[in-house]
């Protein structure tokens, strides 16, 4: 009898193990390495400063309401458990999680959430996502009891949910006494997140964090420790990864396949999901860039395949779609009629288009406008030292030369580059979409919404770098933001896409990606195409924090 | 005393001019730190953050340049360098305090070693001028001195740290060592410093060698050396007490300058070895238009150079009585 | 004449001349030596050295050998032109200060000292980062602005020494104008020092250019040894097994630098009476 | 009197990459204990090379080609470097031409006085100070200057210090190479007076090299006249002054306008010395000589003739052959 | 005021004074190089200026040559006062009359220029002759005049191909090129070999006769001064202490310093036993001007008064002046 019982026990154990899969191993250290971007980790742990303004460990300490995966819009509940739009989308109710405690033991309530939002209203310097800006329509945030937060709007703005859910929530009982939160460094952070700050060594550029034993998600995180390190060059971070001195790197090997994956395909994994696009901005406030046919001709004249190959060794997620929509959002948001539209490299078509608007080449092969004037030499603006952009510019320059358009490459230091783009003094510039989000709305909104555009050259254009606006697009954007009905939103997006394809306000070059290099030497559970629980964001963002709670020992 | 006064006058005037240049230069350039931030994050930063950043950085209101200048001078005089923009909101002083000790340690010690080796070799090659070894040593060091030092750093880092794994790839010390001042930590620091120090020493020694050699040869033809010989003194005494002691004097100014510039760090070495130090910080502060940090570092460098010069002059006076007593 | 003859007797100067002449020849003959255009991206990327591509190809499919050959032109020009501009600035500041003395000297020396005290590389970074038109000319300007002060100091003291020589006084008493005294009496007598300083500046220029390019502050679009290194490093050439991509341009810089250093050394050796081998 | 120094067939010069300068040719002379020998000659006549060569201080490219130097019974040229070094300063010392610059500017006088004494004698350090003070007092320099640096002394004082140093080990011979040329006449006279006093006191010999013949005839016992690397005449100073035999000596003697007496036109020696890189067939003075005998003087080297005891001359005018053809 | 100012002199200086500042910024000391010197040089006269190094004799020459601006005092050329600051034209005119020969022939010729070029410059600058051929002719004439024959051989030579004496002759030819009235000769023979010195002095004397020149002949050698000069002036510590005809000063020196100089100078012609000196030869410190006579600390005849009150120049007879209290004041 005893023996039988033992046997049953053993079998049932085996059954359990087989049935539930392998048990996850606990322990170990997750070693992150960042290259290039950080000269030195900021030692501030104030989560309300802009990204990069705080120590990367902060994202592991402070949580947001929801993690909205920008790749697919999937929502992971964090401090929020559900939300509901009410009153013609003029009110948003968010239910907050019960039983969560701040790391100092104080219970977390909806009042902390309301406090956080009202706090950044009071200190505009902390409102990094501009949720309180005049265009957002947000009017008030109040707690309704311990578990509900009510957001009231003066006009409907459903896309704001994405930004609202991305604000790190801070404990009222600590922050209410802070005199100047803008320069507050928050050296003893108290949060609700999966990790607790342990120490930092600014000299070595290393930050250590340990698992929060009282974290509300039972059993998470799997690893005991986080070791976050920055090195001063991209190559060094790659060398660290190759030496298995790091498990996860935010590094951009020139050719990630050859330099990383192929060196040990068993262990070396990369996932570079597309999150943005590289765009050749044509300054539409300057002739001839104000002529749609000219813009389209430029688009057709550029060998985008070659850009993908030469500038990115094929690992940028391919040629961008003519609408600029990233691939993972195309199934849902791309107008089916536009599915097969492309602006494939065709110098001949480009030539024809130019001829159609009266542009001709002269005997020396220089392009003349319809008045017979030779086009001047245009500058292609890129950031100094950005090799991918410089390579693209070199190719574009050669491509345009075939059309008879002379260009030179203008390499500017970061601030000058951005200033030229924003003030509209550039001719052509390679840059990115000035906005990311779980649907194309966010790109289009930042890219074409009139308040973000400068009315004339010299006037600041906050994010509409091409300085292009279109009443149909404006109307469509407004329709989208007024509704929470996905069908209506889709129609609005389709309308915008059609304008873009027709008018070519921007020349889309290649896709852009996040750069996740993961090593399975010690840890597994990394995000991937088959398990895209986040977008391989860097560790200092809510998306990065998703990775730290998901990886575990092999 | 008058000598000191004179040096101080020069010190102050130079510092003032340099400070002013320091103030004007970055402000002549287009763009602002908030835009630099946007560029730096390659699209990761929401463009709407510009507004918030400007408020945080205090650049939302355009102030009169003169007022800014007065404010700037005032701040510097009170030792308040403000808050860094690229490492917002860390105070500039704090960032410097993280970086400067490492720079001083690595670059300073390497410079001293390079100077010592170079000077010693310079003495020897000058003394044994016609020997074959001198004939070989000089071209070798000329070559080493002509190498781009970052290139050399790349090669040795790849070879000795990555391939052979004899040395660590990055950092200033190992993480697995208990905090505080202990032997293991010192050993670890030294271990991490070997490769970066080697790049500096190997590429810098040649310069000192040549300077010292030329000084030494000049001195060797001086009459007091011949006189010492006539006195029947042993060669070593002549070589060091009579020749080297005098020949080293002109090297001091250069050495002091070099020591002063130690503060500016060895940017490319820091990058290749991810070694902490002021060079990279300065580089970042420039790229990110971090005026407060940039200004502070420049000021520090200049003060260091001027101070080093000053000390060198005093030291010179100590070693050369002609200067001390004001002979012509 | 004697000096020129003995110049050729110093082995080091001959070695320096040979290396320099070699590079000058390569620069002049670049179109004939280089098999391909240095900017063409038409080849298979990352080929290892083979008979078609002696030094392999870059990640963007450029022929590295052709780039190194063409790069000689710009790198050498940067070295020489910067050397010339630097030495011209040094002469202007140093000799004017040394010859005229007095207040002129006071002001010019102060400026020189300030430029000596301001750290070179950081200043270069600042200027290079902010000059809005990127190009080789920028690099030349930047290095010249930051590099003339040492030379000026040396030339100033030399001018002061020369000024006390009797033949200068003789020229003054004959009634010569200051400009004539400077150009006919002072400058020619400092020629050897100027030549030595020139080679010193050229060495400094070549190394600084490489450093600036390596940091990405130069014109990444130009073909120089510095940019070849920059692209190689950015493409992690060593990890790709493309050793030659990084080794060859670096070696070229070091060799050109060595030739300048050797020539500097030789001129110094020859004309400094105390260093001269009797 | 005992002979202290014998120099025989001494040849020295400079070997350069392109040429070889034969600066001292077949010089032979003797120096007695306590003798004051003056060597007079113009720049480039090889007098300094001779002095350095005797002392074994001719540094490359300088070189002693051949000859013998017998000092106190020891052959200096055959000696090993180390033993020669021990001899220097102790047995013979040398005071340089550029005596203003022979003191190391950055070291105290004291230390520069001590080191030679220490090296050669192992004198205990408490005695060193004593000795140094004594030496300075000998040359009329206040002992307080022991603590001074060279630049704090005037030129005359520096020269006195150097002379004191030369005396420090009681050498038998002091070679003085134009020790007073750079000094003003009054200072020069003062120092010479002192040297004379010291010589009488300690009895050392002096080889005194200068271009100033009028000075030399006043101070030295014997004078040797050098021209183009050779001694052309050697005689007791009184005799040389009264009757210079060699045309060069005569010319040199009359190149100094007299201070007192009537002003009258004098004439120097026309032309300039020969190039020492080339071998001269006959008499080196041939080109400039007013009494030259063509076909003799330019063909054969004159040999030494002792005209009177102690008065020797190398001139064809005085050898039999020359004399006959002159008449 | 006692002085030998004479209107008919080619050059007169009155109260000439020069101070140099040494050190810089805050550590300035003043060197009193020349302290109120009065001098006159007559037509076709050689004035010998004798003194030890640092006595200010070279400074006087350079002041007269307009290489320095005087701190105080006046210079008269042909009886006309010469302003301190002149425009280029006036200065050229002055330089045409007053030229200089330097001490060191090795340093006074630019080593990179041929003799012909060096000599052509004054001819061109002062437009003495025009046309290349004429210039060439004139150069050869000058060279021959200075004993450099055949002249054609010398025009194409570089200084290093010449001997010291030849270089000095070129230096004299250069000074002569503009037909000056006065030549300032700053120790022109002291760097030359003894056998050459007389030749140069003789050349200068011949040229004087031939061209009607005047010389200021500076030397530290009393015998040389005696040989060359009509009159001799003795300087000490920036002061003129004695002046008189050459024979008078040498044979009957009045100032104790002149007497000392004479004693110290070798003169085998008056007996081979050197005269004993009882004065130490320490040089005066020019940065500290003494209240009395500068020579007082060394003077065997010094009295109380000598260190309290500066002696004035005392006229002994028409040509003789001495600055000493030993003589009736």
């Amino acid at each position: 009898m005893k023996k039988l019982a033992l046997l049953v026990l053993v079998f049932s154990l085996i059954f359990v193990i087989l049935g539930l899969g392998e048990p996850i191993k606990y322990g170990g250290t997750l070693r992150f390495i960042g290259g290039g971007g950080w000269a030195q980790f900021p030692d501030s742990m104030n989560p309300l400063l802009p990204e990069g303004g705080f120590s990367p460990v902060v994202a592991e300490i402070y949580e947001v309401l929801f993690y909205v995966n920008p790749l697919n819009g999937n929502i992971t509940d964090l401090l929020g458990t559900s939300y509901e739009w009410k009153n013609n989308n003029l009110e948003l109710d968010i239910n907050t999680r019960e039983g969560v405690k701040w790391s100092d033991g104080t219970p977390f309530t909806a009042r902390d959430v309301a406090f956080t939002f009202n706090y950044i209203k009071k200190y505009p310097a902390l409102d990094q996502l501009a949720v309180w800006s005049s265009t957002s329509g947000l009017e008030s945030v109040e707690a309704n009891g311990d578990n509900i937060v009510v957001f009231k709007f003066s006009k409907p703005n459903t896309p704001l949910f994405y930004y609202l859910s991305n604000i790190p929530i801070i404990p009222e009982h600590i922050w209410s006494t802070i005199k100047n939160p803008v320069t507050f460094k928050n050296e003893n952070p108290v949060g609700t997140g999966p990790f607790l700050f342990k120490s930092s060594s600014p000299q070595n550029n290393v930050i250590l964090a340990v698992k929060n034993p009282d974290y509300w998600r039972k059993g998470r995180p799997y690893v005991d420790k986080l070791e976050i390190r920055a090195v001063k060059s991209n190559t060094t971070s790659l060398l660290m990864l190759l030496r298995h001195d790091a498990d996860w790197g935010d590094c951009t090997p020139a050719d990630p396949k050859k330099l990383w994956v192929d060196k040990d395909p068993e262990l070396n994994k990369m996932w570079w999901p597309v999150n943005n696009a590289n765009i050749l901005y044509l300054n539409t406030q300057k002739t001839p860039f104000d002529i749609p046919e000219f813009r389209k001709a430029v688009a057709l004249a550029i060998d985008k395949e070659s850009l993908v190959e030469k500038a990115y060794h094929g690992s940028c997620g391919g040629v961008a779609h003519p609408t600029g929509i990233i691939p993972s959002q195309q199934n849902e948001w791309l107008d089916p009629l536009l599915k097969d539209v492309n602006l494939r490299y065709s110098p001949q078509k480009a030539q024809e288009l130019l001829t159609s608007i009266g542009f001709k080449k002269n005997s020396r092969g220089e392009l003349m406008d319809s008045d017979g004037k030779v086009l001047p030499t245009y500058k292609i603006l890129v950031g100094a030292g950005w090799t991918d952009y410089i390579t693209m510019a070199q190719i574009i320059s050669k491509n345009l030369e075939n059309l008879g358009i002379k260009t030179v490459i203008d390499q500017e230091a970061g601030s000058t580059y951005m200033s030229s783009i924003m003030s509209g003094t550039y001719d052509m510039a390679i840059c990115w979409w000035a906005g990311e989000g779980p649907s194309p709305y966010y790109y289009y909104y930042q890219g074409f919404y009139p308040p973000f555009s400068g009315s004339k050259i010299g006037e600041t254009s906050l994010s509409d770098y091409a300085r292009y606006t279109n009443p149909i697009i404006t109307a469509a954007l407004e329709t989208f933001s007024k509704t929470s009905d996905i069908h209506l939103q889709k129609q609005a997006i389709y309308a915008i896409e059609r304008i873009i394809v027709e008018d070519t306000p921007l020349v889309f070059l290649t896709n852009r990606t996040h750069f996740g290099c993961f090593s399975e030497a010690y840890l597994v559970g990394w995000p991937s195409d088959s398990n895209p629980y986040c977008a391989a964001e860097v560790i200092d963002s809510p998306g990065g924090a998703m990775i730290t709670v998901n990886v575990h020992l092999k | 005393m008058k000598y000191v006064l004179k040096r101080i006058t020069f010190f102050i005037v130079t510092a003032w001019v340099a400070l002013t240049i320091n103030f004007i230069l970055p402000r002549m350039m287009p763009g602002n730190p908030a835009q630099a931030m946007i560029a730096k994050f390659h699209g990761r930063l929401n463009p709407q953050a510009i507004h918030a950043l400007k408020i945080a950085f205090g650049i939302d209101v355009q102030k009169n340049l003169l007022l800014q200048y007065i404010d700037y001078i005032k701040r510097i005089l009170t030792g308040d360098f403000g808050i860094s923009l690229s490492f917002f909101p860390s105070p500039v002083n704090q960032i410097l305090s993280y970086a400067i000790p490492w720079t001083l340690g690595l670059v300073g010690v390497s410079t001293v070693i390079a100077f010592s080796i170079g000077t010693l070799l310079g003495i020897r090659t000058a003394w044994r001028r016609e020997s074959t070894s001198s004939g070989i040593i000089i071209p070798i060091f000329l070559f080493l001195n002509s190498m781009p030092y970052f290139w050399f750093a790349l090669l040795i880092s790849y070879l000795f740290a990555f391939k052979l794994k004899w040395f660590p790839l990055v950092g200033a010390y190992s993480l697995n060592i208990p905090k505080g001042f202990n032997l293991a930590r010192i050993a670890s620091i030294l271990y991490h410093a070997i490769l970066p120090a080697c790049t500096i020493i190997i590429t810098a020694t040649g310069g000192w060698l040549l300077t010292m050699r030329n000084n030494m040869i000049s001195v060797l033809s001086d009459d007091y050396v011949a006189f010492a010989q006539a006195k029947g003194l042993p060669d070593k005494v002549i070589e060091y007490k009579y020749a080297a002691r005098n020949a080293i004097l002109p090297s001091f100014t250069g050495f002091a300058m070099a020591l002063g510039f130690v503060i500016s760090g060895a940017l490319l070495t820091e990058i290749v070895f991810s070694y902490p130090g002021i060079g990279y910080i300065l580089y970042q502060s420039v790229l990110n238009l971090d005026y407060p940090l940039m200004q502070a570092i420049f000021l520090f460098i200049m003060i260091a150079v001027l101070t080093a010069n000053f000390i060198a002059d005093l030291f010179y006076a100590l070693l050369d009585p002609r200067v001390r007593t004001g002979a012509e | 004449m004697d000096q020129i003859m003995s110049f050729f007797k110093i082995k080091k100067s001959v070695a320096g001349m040979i290396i320099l002449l070699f590079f000058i020849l390569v620069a002049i003959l670049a179109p004939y030596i280089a098999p391909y255009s240095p900017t063409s991206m038409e080849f298979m990327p990352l080929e290892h050295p083979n008979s078609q591509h002696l030094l392999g190809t870059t990640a963007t499919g450029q022929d590295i050998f052709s780039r190194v050959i063409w790069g000689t032109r710009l790198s050498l020009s940067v070295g020489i032109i910067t050397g010339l501009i630097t030495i011209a600035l040094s002469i202007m500041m140093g000799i004017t200060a040394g010859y005229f003395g007095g207040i002129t000297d006071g002001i010019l020396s102060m400026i020189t000292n300030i430029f000596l005290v301001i750290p070179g590389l950081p200043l270069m970074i600042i200027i290079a980062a902010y000059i809005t038109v990127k190009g080789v000319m920028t690099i030349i300007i930047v290095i010249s602005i930051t590099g003339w002060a040492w030379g000026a100091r040396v030339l100033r003291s030399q001018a002061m020494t020369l000024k006390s020589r009797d033949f200068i006084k003789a020229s003054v008493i004959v009634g010569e104008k200051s400009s004539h005294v400077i150009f006919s009496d002072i400058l020619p007598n400092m020629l050897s020092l100027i030549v030595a300083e020139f080679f010193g500046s050229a060495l400094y220029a070549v190394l600084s250019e490489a450093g600036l390019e390596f940091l990405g502050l130069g014109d990444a679009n130009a073909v120089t040894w510095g940019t070849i290194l920059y692209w190689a490093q950015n493409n992690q050439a060593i990890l790709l097994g493309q050793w030659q991509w990084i080794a060859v341009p670096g070696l070229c810089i070091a060799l050109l630098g060595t030739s300048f250093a050797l020539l500097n050394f030789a001129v110094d050796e020859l004309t400094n009476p105390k260093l001269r081998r009797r | 009197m005992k002979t202290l120094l014998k120099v025989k067939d001494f040849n020295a010069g400079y070997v350069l990459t392109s040429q070889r300068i034969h600066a001292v040719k077949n010089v032979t002379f003797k120096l007695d204990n306590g003798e004051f020998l003056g060597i007079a000659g113009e720049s480039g006549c090889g007098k300094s090379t001779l002095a350095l060569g005797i002392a074994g201080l001719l540094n490359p490219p300088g070189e002693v080609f051949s000859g013998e130097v017998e000092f106190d019974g020891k052959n200096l040229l055959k000696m090993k470097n180390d033993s020669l070094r021990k001899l220097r300063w102790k047995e013979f010392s040398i005071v340089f031409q550029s005596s203003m610059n022979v003191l190391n500017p950055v070291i105290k006088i004291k230390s520069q006085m001590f080191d030679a004494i220490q090296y050669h004698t192992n004198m205990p350090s408490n005695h060193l100070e004593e000795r140094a003070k004594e030496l300075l007092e000998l040359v009329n320099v206040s002992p307080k200057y022991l603590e001074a640096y060279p630049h704090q002394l005037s030129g005359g004082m520096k020269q006195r210090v150097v002379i004191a140093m030369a005396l420090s080990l009681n050498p038998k011979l002091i070679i003085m190479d134009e020790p007073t040329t750079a000094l003003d006449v009054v200072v020069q006279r003062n120092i010479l007076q002192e040297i004379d006093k010291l010589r009488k006191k300690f009895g050392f010999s002096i080889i005194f090299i200068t271009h100033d013949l009028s000075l030399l005839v006043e101070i030295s016992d014997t004078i040797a006249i050098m021209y183009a690397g050779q001694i052309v005449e050697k005689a007791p100073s009184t005799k040389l002054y009264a009757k210079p035999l060699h045309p060069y000596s005569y010319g040199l003697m009359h190149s100094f306008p007299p201070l007192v007496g009537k002003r009258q036109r004098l004439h120097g020696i026309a032309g300039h010395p020969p190039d020492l890189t080339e071998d001269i067939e006959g008499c080196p003075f041939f080109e400039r000589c007013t009494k030259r005998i063509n076909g003799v003087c330019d063909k054969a080297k004159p040999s030494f003739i002792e005209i009177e005891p102690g008065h020797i001359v190398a001139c064809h005018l005085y050898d039999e052959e020359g004399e006959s053809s002159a008449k | 005021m006692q002085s030998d100012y004479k209107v008919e002199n080619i050059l007169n200086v009155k109260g000439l004074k020069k101070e140099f500042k040494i050190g810089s910024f805050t550590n300035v000391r003043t060197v009193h190089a020349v302290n109120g010197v009065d001098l006159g040089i007559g037509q076709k006269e050689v004035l010998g200026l004798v003194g030890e190094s640092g006595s200010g004799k070279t400074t006087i020459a350079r002041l007269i040559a307009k290489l320095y601006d005087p701190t105080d005092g006046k210079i008269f050329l042909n009886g006309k006062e010469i302003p301190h600051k002149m425009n280029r034209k006036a200065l050229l005119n002055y330089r045409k009359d007053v030229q200089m020969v330097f001490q060191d022939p090795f340093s006074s010729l630019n080593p990179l220029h041929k003799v012909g070029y060096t000599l052509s410059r004054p001819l061109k600058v002062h437009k003495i002759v025009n046309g290349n051929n004429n210039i060439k002719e004139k150069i050869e004439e000058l060279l021959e005049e200075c004993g450099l024959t055949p002249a054609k051989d010398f025009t194409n030579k570089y200084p290093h191909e010449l001997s010291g004496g030849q270089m000095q002759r070129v230096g004299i030819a250069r000074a002569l090129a503009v037909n000056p009235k006065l030549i300032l000769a700053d120790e022109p023979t002291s760097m030359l070999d003894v056998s050459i010195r007389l030749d140069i002095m003789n050349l200068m004397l011949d040229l004087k006769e031939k061209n009607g020149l005047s010389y200021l002949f500076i030397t530290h050698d009393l015998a040389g001064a005696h040989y060359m000069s009509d009159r001799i002036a003795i300087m000490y510590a920036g002061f003129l202490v004695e002046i008189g005809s050459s024979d008078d000063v040498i044979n009957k020196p009045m100032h104790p310093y002149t007497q000392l100089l004479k004693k110290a100078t070798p003169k085998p012609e008056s007996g081979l036993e050197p005269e004993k000196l009882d004065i130490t030869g320490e040089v005066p410190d020019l940065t500290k001007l003494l209240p009395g006579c500068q020579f007082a600390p060394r003077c065997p005849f010094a009295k109380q008064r000598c260190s309290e009150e500066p002696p004035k120049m005392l006229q002994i007879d028409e040509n003789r002046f001495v600055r000493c209290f030993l003589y009736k004041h």
Side-chain angles (χ1 to χ4, degrees), chain C residues 217-234:
Chain C
L217 293 167
D219 178 6
N221 201 26
V223 183
T224 73
W225 294 334
T227 52
I228 299 174
L229 269 183
Y230 171 68
W231 286 97
Q233 171 60 5
N234 262 288

Side-chain angles (χ1 to χ4, degrees), chain B residues 80-324:
Chain B
D80 168 19
F81 296 110
I83 289 174
S84 160
L85 306 184
S86 47
F87 304 100
F88 194 83
S90 292
V92 165
N93 298 359
Q94 189 178 1
I95 293 168
L96 295 182
S97 74
Y98 292 153
I100 284 182
W102 293 99
T103 295
L104 284 181
L106 175 70
V107 193
V109 171
S110 309
T111 305
V112 171
I113 293 176
F115 177 76
S116 313
I117 298 177
T119 301
L120 218 67
L121 282 175
I123 294 172
R124 292 306 299 161
T125 51
W127 186 257
R128 301 169 44 95
R129 192 174 174 193
E130 309 292 338
S131 72
T132 328
S133 58
S134 300
I136 296 167
I137 285 175
I138 289 164
I140 289 179
F141 274 92
L142 281 179
F143 177 77
L144 294 179
N145 197 35
S146 306
M147 284 190 307
Y149 73 109
F150 59 87
W151 174 75
F152 183 64
L154 281 176
L155 297 185
I156 63 169
S157 135
Y158 183 77
L159 191 66
F160 294 108
F162 185 73
K163 271 272 137 130
L164 299 171
K165 300 196 165 95
W166 290 355
F167 296 100
L169 258 178
V170 301
Y173 52 86
S174 167
L175 291 177
N176 321 316
I177 284 171
K179 288 213 159 194
F181 190 76
N182 55 53
L183 262 182
R185 194 178 178 85
I186 294 169
S188 171
I189 289 174
L190 288 178
Y191 181 50
H192 281 71
I194 289 177
L195 283 188
C198 274
T199 34
I200 301 175
I201 294 169
I202 288 174
T203 53
T205 302
W208 299 119
L209 187 156
L210 282 188
T211 314
M212 188 60 191
R213 177 185 172 275
N214 287 0
N215 293 345
M216 183 80 179
I217 288 174
S218 296
V219 167
L220 283 178
S221 68
D222 277 347
D223 296 317
Y224 51 82
V225 175
F227 189 60
Q229 230 179 339
K231 288 204 285 190
L233 295 176
D235 280 354
K236 284 286 157 207
V237 175
I238 300 173
E239 183 177 352
Y240 291 98
K241 180 176 176 182
Y242 284 85
R245 195 183 181 294
N246 293 54
I248 205 167
L249 288 173
S251 285
F252 266 114
T253 322
F255 180 53
M257 293 288 261
L259 274 188
F261 284 130
V262 160
I263 296 285
S264 63
L267 169 60
L268 296 161
T269 305
E270 284 172 27
I271 292 179
V272 174
F273 296 101
S274 280
Y275 204 84
I278 204 87
Y280 196 60
I281 304 245
L282 172 59
Y283 176 57
Q284 287 294 323
S285 71
V286 169
L287 290 187
N288 295 316
L289 278 183
D290 186 348
Y291 312 129
L293 188 54
M294 205 188 318
Q295 283 157 353
I297 298 178
F298 252 60
L299 185 72
F300 266 96
I301 294 172
M302 279 174 340
I303 289 178
V305 176
L306 290 170
T307 312
N309 259 323
F310 188 62
I311 292 172
D313 285 348
L314 294 181
F315 204 51
Y316 202 113
L318 206 72
L319 287 175
D320 190 342
R322 287 168 294 185
V323 176
R324 186 166 61 229

Side-chain angles (χ1 to χ4, degrees), chain D residues 70-84:
Chain D
E70 195 187 306
F71 176 82
D72 215 11
K74 293 172 281 262
N75 190 338
L76 293 189
L77 296 182
K78 293 244 164 68
M79 278 172 96
K80 288 245 170 60
N81 235 337
D82 259 0
S83 19
L84 187 59

Side-chain angles (χ1 to χ4, degrees), chain A residues 11 55 61 80 99 166 170 256 280 284 303 342 360 428 443 456 476 480 499 511 531 536:
Chain A
F11 270 96
S55 155
I61 296 169
N166 252 321
I170 52 170
L280 178 67
T284 61
D303 182 0
N342 66 53
K360 279 195 287 282
M428 305 185 196
Y443 306 107
K456 59 175 191 286
F480 186 102
I499 297 288
N511 285 316
N531 185 16

